[in-house]
Amino acid sequence: MERFYLWPEQPGASLFALWFFSQLIFWAGRVPMHRAFRSMGRVLFGGLRMAARWLKSISVSIAQRDREMVMEMARGDAEGKIAREFRRIENSFAKELNRYPKLHRKIDDLTSRLDSDYGECGSAPPAPPGWAEATAAVAKMPENGDGMVKKVLEEIHKSAQAGEKKALQEYRESTAKRHKILNGMASMWREVKALAGEAGKSVAAALDSTKRIDSYMATYEQTRKGDHKAVRAMGWQSTQLFVVSLIVLGVAIGGAFVNFNLIALPMSELVPSGSRIGGIPVSTVAAMVIVLMEIAAGIFLMEMLGITSFFPKMELLPLSRRRIILFVSLGGLLLLACIESSLAILREQIVESSSALKHSLAGISEKSVADPVFSRIPVVGQAVLGFILPWILAMVAVPLETLISTGGHIVLTVTAGTLAVLSIVMRVLAHGGRYLVEAVRHVYDIYIILPLQIERLATGGRGATPLREPANQQARR
Amino acid sequence: MKKLILAVAVAVLSSCSSGRNYALAIVALVDVSGTYLDQKEEVINLIKKGIVPKLNPGDSLFVIRIDDESYKKSNLEGSMTLDVRPSKANAQKMAFAAKLDEFAKKRERARHTDIRGAMMLGAEYLKETGAGSRTMVVFSDLEEDLPKGVKRTLAPDEFAGMRVFAMNVKKLNADNANPTAYRARLASWQQQATSHGAKEFKVVIDPEKLDELLDH
């Protein structure tokens, strides 16, 4: 500061002189300075506004792309569900229609049998024609004391009684036979009822499927029309799936880490442990490769089972080839699980040997260290863990696919949101900047308040008028 | 075309594997002269507990005796380069520990102390291994006393790329009377080691520190 003093020995006078000259210069340059401030404000405001608009437009276009993607996903999902239901119906119809002739024949057979049985039940044995009336007429004849007639009548009476008895007996036998037939019909009715129930169930299942198809079709229609509710619901569903997949994948990564640690040490027995790749021991790399191979085998297994669809080309393969790949990946996974299990046992042996070596070098007795009964538990535990972990890792394919398929939506949503926030920040900065420049302009005027007041007095109150913006610029704001 | 593919595959694979040697080679020099003989058992224990367990498959360890004339092949008390398989390496360590015990039991006593001769021999063994990390650990009072007619001149790159640790340095009676002489002796060894190419020279008092230094 001192170097600006005009008279270094008189700082007060120097400071006053500096202030005075600055007042003069600032007052003289007030108009161009105000213009400069205004231009600066406009540049700042315009630039930031432009950036805000640009960010907003990008955010909107990304959101639009996200929306299209979600709609596409929803459409694909609904189509998949509808196709699945149609496949179910097709399978069910093929199965039921295949059974239908047999069922029809069976019902036909049963109804004809029932009909004949019913017919048989209906035919009662005929009564002896005219016997009752003839017997009644003979019985009403007056007794004339003729022994011959009496004998004849008695004989008639006896034979009538015998006939009645026989008829009754026949009737009873016929009734018993009918009852037997009716009894036989009951099982047939039950069979018919069961068949009808079965047919009813199939029809109900078909009706359920159609109801589901109806609801899927409704969703599909809504998605096709671009209904906001449906798109929002699908977006939320994608987010949920993403979060769940992320959690499951996190757990799987933990499992992979445990798995890796389980086999990293024993792998040094199989591969040269002295060599390194990029500073990492080959045994560590080999253990990592095994873990990754398990995941790869799991991906192929899930692909061939039709649970995931990472590789669309594989879906086009004939069933026989798909089956071969399925068995190869299954076999590979089993092999890796067995290898890991044995490596886990080997690991325990190496650890025990290293521990014994350390104790021996340190001069500690081994007896006081381990109990042989309990020392088997970690071996078994590690072997089981080594066998199970590859199968669990194989399941990673499912959350991985979900994560990838829903990741796009999440990335686009986050990007769109961030850009929107940035746009708002830019707008706020634009306004803030404009008002800040205005404030600086006012501070400038405050600094030269004395010359301004003098000017005002000298010009009779007309001086120091604030600069006006052109009307078209004000209107533009 | 097939040859080209093969050549590219070989090039890719060779570029993947690291050319750097990560093996560790250690030379332990054990003084058996009269002034240090009482420390022999403790030193062997230190080697067994502190150095041997630190070695990994592929690492090497040499134990050299410091006596009247140490630049002799017979001064090499034992050496081992660990097998790449950990189980075999453990067996080698056990055998080496037994060898060290035998060395500890030997009642030999040297009249003179040829430290530089042992250092030169050790440096040669270290260089021969081609290990990425080379360390020399000297167990001595660092008071050199060469016999008549014995000359030891270190080459300018004698300890190139090596770390030299002086461990369990025994203080002599004269050192207790005048610690400055002891410090001057250590400083002179430091100067000798570093001026002949050693990456560092350190005096290790706490045996636990050796663990950290070997890990470094």
Side-chain angles (χ1 to χ4, degrees):
Chain A
M1 186 67 189
E2 279 81 11
R3 59 190 174 145
F4 295 112
Y5 288 177
L6 295 173
W7 307 285
E9 65 282 0
Q10 290 177 317
S14 297
L15 279 172
F16 179 76
L18 278 174
W19 173 81
F20 182 74
F21 284 123
S22 70
Q23 289 285 313
L24 267 181
I25 290 163
F26 278 20
W27 174 74
R30 182 176 173 264
V31 174
M33 279 302 281
H34 272 223
R35 279 194 193 125
F37 279 132
R38 196 157 293 137
S39 303
M40 209 192 296
R42 271 204 297 272
V43 166
L44 199 67
F45 179 70
L48 287 171
R49 276 293 294 268
M50 211 186 277
R53 268 194 219 122
W54 181 71
L55 286 171
K56 183 75 189 164
S57 70
I58 291 179
S59 161
V60 168
S61 72
I62 288 175
Q64 182 59 32
R65 276 181 67 183
D66 179 38
R67 191 181 145 78
E68 282 167 13
M69 202 177 80
V70 169
M71 274 167 64
E72 196 56 45
M73 268 166 64
R75 215 174 292 154
D77 188 51
E79 279 172 4
K81 280 178 181 170
I82 291 165
R84 191 184 62 202
E85 284 306 321
F86 272 120
R87 268 199 301 276
R88 270 187 199 166
I89 287 178
E90 189 192 342
N91 289 341
S92 157
F93 269 56
K95 194 175 149 194
E96 296 304 330
L97 285 176
N98 199 26
R99 280 174 55 192
Y100 181 72
K102 200 177 167 187
L103 181 80
H104 189 258
R105 212 166 36 244
K106 211 169 179 180
I107 291 174
D108 237 15
D109 188 33
L110 281 170
T111 44
S112 62
R113 273 167 65 193
L114 281 170
D115 193 41
S116 74
D117 284 354
Y118 183 71
E120 271 184 54
C121 290
S123 60
W131 271 98
E133 287 83 5
T135 314
V138 170
K140 279 177 190 171
M141 277 176 71
E143 209 176 308
N144 52 8
D146 192 351
M148 192 67 185
V149 172
K150 193 181 175 186
K151 201 176 175 184
V152 168
L153 283 173
E154 274 174 6
E155 278 304 314
I156 288 169
H157 185 239
K158 270 183 193 170
S159 68
Q161 271 184 333
E164 192 183 345
K165 209 174 177 180
K166 196 180 171 190
L168 197 65
Q169 182 63 30
E170 274 177 7
Y171 177 70
R172 277 181 183 155
E173 276 173 8
S174 146
T175 308
K177 201 176 170 188
R178 278 207 303 278
H179 280 182
K180 204 175 170 185
I181 291 165
L182 281 172
N183 200 29
M185 277 167 75
S187 66
M188 280 190 270
W189 278 119
R190 273 201 295 275
E191 209 171 331
V192 168
K193 196 181 169 187
L195 288 169
E198 216 172 299
K201 269 183 196 168
S202 298
V203 170
L207 282 174
D208 276 350
S209 289
T210 51
K211 268 182 201 165
R212 273 203 298 275
I213 288 173
D214 277 351
S215 82
Y216 293 150
M217 278 306 285
T219 314
Y220 182 68
E221 274 298 308
Q222 280 175 345
T223 317
R224 215 169 59 85
K225 280 177 192 164
D227 183 53
H228 284 286
K229 259 187 178 176
V231 174
R232 213 178 302 137
M234 193 63 203
W236 175 237
Q237 200 184 339
S238 293
T239 312
Q240 272 180 320
L241 279 172
F242 181 82
V243 172
V244 171
S245 311
L246 207 64
I247 292 167
V248 175
L249 217 60
V251 174
I253 287 168
F257 180 73
V258 172
N259 200 7
F260 167 75
N261 277 313
L262 204 64
I263 59 170
L265 179 65
M267 275 310 281
S268 55
E269 282 284 324
L270 307 182
V271 291
S273 53
S275 317
R276 292 181 185 227
I277 296 173
I280 305 166
V282 173
S283 56
T284 309
V285 176
M288 243 186 289
V289 168
I290 283 192
V291 172
L292 293 175
M293 273 164 69
E294 283 161 8
I295 294 171
I299 288 173
F300 278 104
L301 185 69
M302 295 294 152
E303 191 78 14
M304 291 306 110
L305 286 172
I307 296 170
T308 58
S309 55
F310 278 109
F311 312 105
K313 272 192 177 177
M314 284 198 166
E315 286 171 14
L316 306 174
L317 288 175
L319 193 67
S320 57
R321 283 191 193 172
R322 282 174 68 92
R323 209 167 282 164
I324 290 170
I325 298 173
L326 173 74
F327 283 119
V328 166
S329 46
L330 200 67
L333 214 53
L334 183 71
L335 194 72
L336 287 170
C338 292
I339 289 172
E340 272 209 18
S341 193
S342 53
L343 283 177
I345 294 167
L346 186 61
R347 180 185 185 277
E348 190 55 28
Q349 285 173 357
I350 293 172
V351 169
E352 269 178 22
S353 147
S354 299
S355 162
L357 173 75
K358 273 181 193 164
H359 289 140
S360 159
L361 293 174
I364 303 168
S365 162
E366 275 182 57
K367 280 179 188 171
S368 59
V369 180
D371 189 332
V373 176
F374 293 108
S375 65
R376 293 293 101 196
I377 294 169
V379 182
V380 175
Q382 285 182 42
V384 171
L385 208 62
F387 190 81
I388 288 172
L389 280 172
W391 300 101
I392 294 171
L393 276 184
M395 305 279 180
V396 164
V398 182
L400 190 68
E401 193 200 26
T402 316
L403 193 82
I404 291 168
S405 64
T406 54
H409 162 65
I410 300 297
V411 168
L412 288 179
T413 308
V414 170
T415 312
T418 311
L419 289 176
V421 170
L422 274 177
S423 161
I424 292 166
V425 170
M426 288 284 179
R427 281 173 77 94
V428 170
L429 282 178
H431 285 284
R434 195 175 73 172
Y435 288 118
L436 191 71
V437 172
E438 279 293 301
V440 171
R441 197 161 63 90
H442 289 304
V443 168
Y444 183 93
D445 279 356
I446 290 167
Y447 181 68
I448 54 168
I449 191 80
L450 271 176
L452 284 178
Q453 288 302 319
I454 294 165
E455 186 194 4
R456 202 168 69 87
L457 286 172
T459 54
R462 284 186 291 106
T465 47
L467 287 167
R468 297 266 173 227
E469 281 186 39
N472 60 344
Q473 281 183 10
Q474 278 190 344
R476 213 180 290 164
R477 284 190 193 178
Chain B
M1 186 65 187
K2 272 184 185 174
K3 278 183 183 175
L4 181 73
I5 293 167
L6 196 71
V8 170
V10 168
V12 168
L13 285 174
S14 59
S15 70
C16 281
S17 65
S18 176
R20 198 178 145 196
N21 192 333
Y22 289 90
L24 168 73
I26 300 174
V27 161
L29 309 178
V30 184
D31 194 344
V32 293
S33 64
T35 50
Y36 200 76
L37 195 63
D38 58 328
Q39 301 289 314
K40 197 177 172 189
E41 264 187 45
E42 194 185 333
V43 165
I44 295 300
N45 274 336
L46 274 174
I47 294 172
K48 276 167 65 182
K49 285 181 200 168
I51 298 176
V52 176
K54 296 300 288 182
L55 299 174
N56 292 316
D59 293 348
S60 307
L61 174 64
F62 304 89
V63 175
I64 292 171
R65 192 178 66 246
I66 299 174
D67 57 11
D68 300 330
E69 285 179 45
S70 312
Y71 190 64
K72 281 184 297 186
K73 203 183 171 185
S74 58
N75 275 52
L76 181 72
E77 283 294 333
S79 72
M80 66 166 175
T81 297
L82 294 176
D83 194 86
V84 289
R85 294 175 62 184
S87 54
K88 277 201 172 180
N90 281 350
Q92 281 177 293
K93 284 180 186 176
M94 291 287 269
F96 197 76
K99 214 182 240 182
L100 287 176
D101 286 336
E102 274 175 32
F103 174 49
K105 279 175 197 162
K106 278 186 198 167
R107 294 282 107 194
E108 55 193 340
R109 183 194 178 104
R111 285 184 183 176
H112 301 277
T113 318
D114 175 15
I115 299 173
R116 273 181 292 172
M119 285 174 99
M120 285 161 79
L121 184 69
E124 282 171 13
Y125 278 114
L126 283 181
K127 280 174 190 167
E128 198 185 40
T129 58
S133 174
R134 301 167 195 179
T135 307
M136 188 180 281
V137 189
V138 186
F139 295 94
S140 168
D141 51 20
L142 294 180
E143 179 69 53
E144 193 170 49
D145 169 27
L146 294 176
K148 266 189 181 176
V150 174
K151 275 188 180 179
R152 299 289 181 235
T153 311
L154 298 171
D157 63 340
E158 192 74 54
F159 307 123
M162 294 175 202
R163 295 188 302 161
V164 182
F165 301 134
M167 220 186 142
N168 200 41
V169 182
K170 189 185 169 186
K171 291 177 186 75
L172 303 170
N173 290 338
D175 296 333
N176 286 326
N178 181 15
T180 317
Y182 168 75
R183 286 177 186 170
R185 197 163 75 234
L186 294 182
S188 128
W189 278 107
Q190 177 163 19
Q191 200 275 328
Q192 273 202 66
T194 49
S195 65
H196 290 91
K199 279 202 281 190
E200 65 171 320
F201 177 90
K202 236 177 203 165
V203 178
V204 186
I205 299 164
D206 182 9
E208 300 288 322
K209 281 270 177 196
L210 186 66
D211 250 23
E212 289 172 29
L213 289 167
L214 290 177
D215 279 335
H216 188 58

